[in-house]
Amino acid sequence: MRFFLDVSYNGAAYHGWQRQANAHTVQEEIENGLSKILGAETAITGSGRTDTGVHAKMQMVHFDTEKEMEPAQIQYKLNSILPDDISVNNCRPVQPEAHARFDARERGYHYFINPNKNPFLVGKSYYFNHQLDVDLMNEAAEKLLGRQDFESFSRVKTEVNNFICEIFTARWYWENDQLIFNVRANRFLRGMVRALVGTLLEVGRGKLTVEEFVSIIAAKDRTKAGRAVPPHGLYLSEVNYSDEIYI
C-alpha cells in the first residue's frame, strides 16, 4: 500500500533533503526510521529537493509497504524515533499510482528576513539590515507572475529539460517584525527562490530598477541576476495535490 507523509524539518543540521553517500540528510533519517518500524528496507520519494540548510514546514513524501499498519500508528511510531528536528505531521493512504513529486500541482516557499539583529532567529531568518523599498520590490515581483522562462534564476549546472515555470503568487509583506517573501508556482528550478530573493533585494536597495529586473528575466542568463541569499531563511511551506489521490 502507498502512503503520503506530511513532514516538517529544521534543515540546519542536514546536507539537504536527498540521500547522499557521505552526508547526513533528511531523506536518510526518514528512510531509516520507516525501515525500522516497518521491518523492511523502505525508500521514500519527496515532492522536491531542499538544499543544505533549507527548512520545510511541509515536505510531502510517498512510500510503499506491505505491512498492515494504521496511518496514525505509522505517524506515532515514526515520530517516536526521528530526531527532534524532524516531525511527521500526517500520514494518509493514497492511490497506488500517486506520486509525491509528479502529482504535485503547486508548491510554495517563504523566505524570512529580519532587519533587526535577533539571537533567537539565528539559523531561522536572514539578518539583513539595509533600507528597502518594499513597494518597489512588490512591483518587480508582479513581473514574475505567469508562465515564463526563469533560466536567469536557475543554477547553471542542473539537469532539467526546460526552465519554464508558472508562478501564481509572488509578494512581500511584513509579519511579526520580519519581512517575508511568499512565492507559489507549479514548479521551481534549483536555487530559484534564493536567486529571486537576492535579485529583488537589489531592487529594494535601489541598485536595480523594475525595468532592469524585467530585462534580467528576459536575458535567460544566471550571471545577470543577483546573488543567492543564504539558505537558512528559506522554507518549503506548502505542496498541494488533487483530492482524488487520497483514499
Side-chain angles (χ1 to χ4, degrees):
M1 189 169 192
R2 179 159 291 188
F3 292 90
F4 266 25
L5 296 177
D6 172 354
V7 179
S8 297
Y9 51 86
N10 182 324
Y14 300 96
H15 287 79
W17 163 262
Q18 189 172 18
R19 180 183 279 271
Q20 302 173 46
N22 299 304
H24 186 209
T25 69
V26 180
Q27 182 179 11
E28 175 189 359
E29 285 285 355
I30 298 174
E31 286 182 340
N32 290 346
L34 278 173
S35 299
K36 185 174 182 179
I37 67 172
L38 297 175
E41 188 170 332
T42 305
I44 62 174
T45 298
S47 62
R49 303 174 183 176
T50 53
D51 292 332
T52 299
V54 175
H55 314 294
K57 294 184 177 181
M58 183 186 199
Q59 166 73 286
M60 299 297 292
V61 305
H62 77 248
F63 70 93
D64 297 316
T65 180
E66 295 180 0
K67 185 169 184 176
E68 292 187 8
M69 189 179 293
E70 290 296 319
Q73 191 177 20
I74 295 174
Q75 179 183 352
Y76 175 79
K77 288 191 172 184
L78 191 51
N79 273 328
S80 69
I81 60 176
L82 284 173
D84 291 341
D85 51 10
I86 303 176
S87 69
V88 178
N89 307 313
N90 199 2
C91 177
R92 296 181 65 179
V94 294
Q95 301 293 342
E97 302 302 321
H99 198 285
R101 179 184 175 190
F102 298 132
D103 285 337
R105 291 184 166 186
E106 180 182 302
R107 298 165 173 85
Y109 283 89
H110 286 79
Y111 194 90
F112 290 78
I113 293 174
N114 57 300
N116 302 306
K117 192 172 183 180
N118 186 334
F120 300 105
L121 293 177
V122 173
K124 300 176 182 178
S125 179
Y126 177 34
Y127 173 47
F128 190 81
N129 64 345
H130 296 277
Q131 191 73 29
L132 295 170
D133 186 334
V134 178
D135 289 336
L136 201 61
M137 291 161 66
N138 271 323
E139 184 180 338
E142 286 184 4
K143 306 300 182 181
L144 298 170
L145 300 179
R147 191 172 185 271
Q148 302 184 65
D149 188 310
F150 288 99
E151 186 173 359
S152 289
F153 304 98
S154 172
R155 286 186 181 174
V156 176
K157 295 181 180 180
T158 182
E159 297 177 1
V160 293
N161 295 324
N162 65 76
F163 299 91
I164 303 297
C165 305
E166 184 176 4
I167 294 184
F168 309 119
T169 300
R171 69 185 184 99
W172 292 90
Y173 62 95
W174 288 97
E175 185 175 286
N176 298 326
D177 297 323
Q178 291 191 85
L179 181 60
I180 304 169
F181 180 60
N182 174 219
V183 59
R184 295 165 47 248
N186 66 330
R187 66 186 285 238
F188 288 94
L189 306 168
R190 292 292 304 278
M192 178 175 166
V193 179
R194 290 166 58 197
L196 284 174
V197 171
T199 311
L200 287 167
L201 288 177
E202 295 291 282
V203 174
R205 295 182 66 188
K207 293 190 173 185
L208 287 174
T209 65
V210 174
E211 291 72 22
E212 287 171 330
F213 181 77
V214 172
S215 70
I216 289 172
I217 300 173
K220 303 176 186 178
D221 182 352
R222 179 65 185 90
T223 64
K224 303 296 184 184
R227 69 179 182 87
V229 288
H232 60 264
L234 183 60
Y235 294 74
L236 174 60
S237 52
E238 62 177 313
V239 187
N240 296 323
Y241 301 88
S242 166
D243 290 338
E244 297 173 356
I245 69 169
Y246 296 104
I247 296 176

